[in-house]
Amino acid sequence: MYKIEHIGIAVKDLEKSNLLFASLFGEKHYKIEDVLSEGVKTSFFQVGSNKIELLEATNANSAIAKFIEKKGEGIHHIAFVVKDINFEIQRLKKEGFTVLNEVPKRGADNKLIAFLHPKSTNGILVELCQDL
Ligand code: CMX
């Protein structure tokens, strides 16, 4: 892992939050993407060299719907860039982390992704991201 790829923020209403974060950052989102497999609609903001992803649930079973129901809106995950996601998955498993995706899956913004369970990372949902 060598840098943060993005920070994911769970929101109830993407349209409203896009306006809120555009006024916070002074710049609007550069992309909206539906990730059907994850049950989310996302938008992306570039803030200097950093990326922020807003996530709205598109169905009741989505991880974002469950998160908001339990914790409310807020930071949902931190994603880190990895060069070789399969290598990292095996390395982190050996280190004792709970890897949620033994086989990486396709995520938003042209990435291969895998998650670590927050119970194994001091309460932070960690996402590994490799460019496709
Ligand atoms: N950050 C921190 N803790 C979280 C969390 C999060 N994002 N989501 C759930 N938790 C906590 C819950 O509060 C709960 O804690 P307590 O037991 O202390 O109450 C615990 O994790 C529940 O764990 P669980 O019963 O195993 O499972 P859940 O059904 O709540 O699912 C998780 C949690 C992380 C396994 C699931 O959300 C998941 O698989 N996430 C990965 C996929 C994902 O998040 N996709 C959406 C984003 C996609 C994208 O970025 O494009």
Side-chain angles (χ1 to χ4, degrees), residues 94-121:
K94 278 192 208 126
E95 293 289 341
F97 295 97
T98 307
V99 177
L100 291 166
N101 314 96
E102 292 258 345
V103 178
K105 52 186 179 173
R106 205 182 163 132
D109 218 16
N110 289 319
K111 306 279 182 244
L112 264 185
I113 62 170
F115 288 91
L116 305 183
H117 199 290
K119 289 283 173 203
S120 68
T121 49

Side-chain angles (χ1 to χ4, degrees), residues 38 53 63 67 70-71 76-77 115 117-119 123 125 127:
E38 296 291 317
E53 176 185 31
F67 178 86
K70 194 155 190 199
K71 297 180 188 269
H76 177 259
H77 64 264
F115 288 91
H117 199 290
K119 289 283 173 203
L125 177 59
E127 179 180 352

Side-chain angles (χ1 to χ4, degrees), residues 1 84-102 116 120 128:
M1 278 181 219
D84 180 343
I85 197 165
N86 288 300
F87 174 85
E88 283 297 321
I89 286 170
Q90 294 313 319
R91 183 183 75 79
L92 293 166
K93 265 179 68 179
K94 278 192 208 126
E95 293 289 341
F97 295 97
T98 307
V99 177
L100 291 166
N101 314 96
E102 292 258 345
L116 305 183
S120 68
L128 310 177

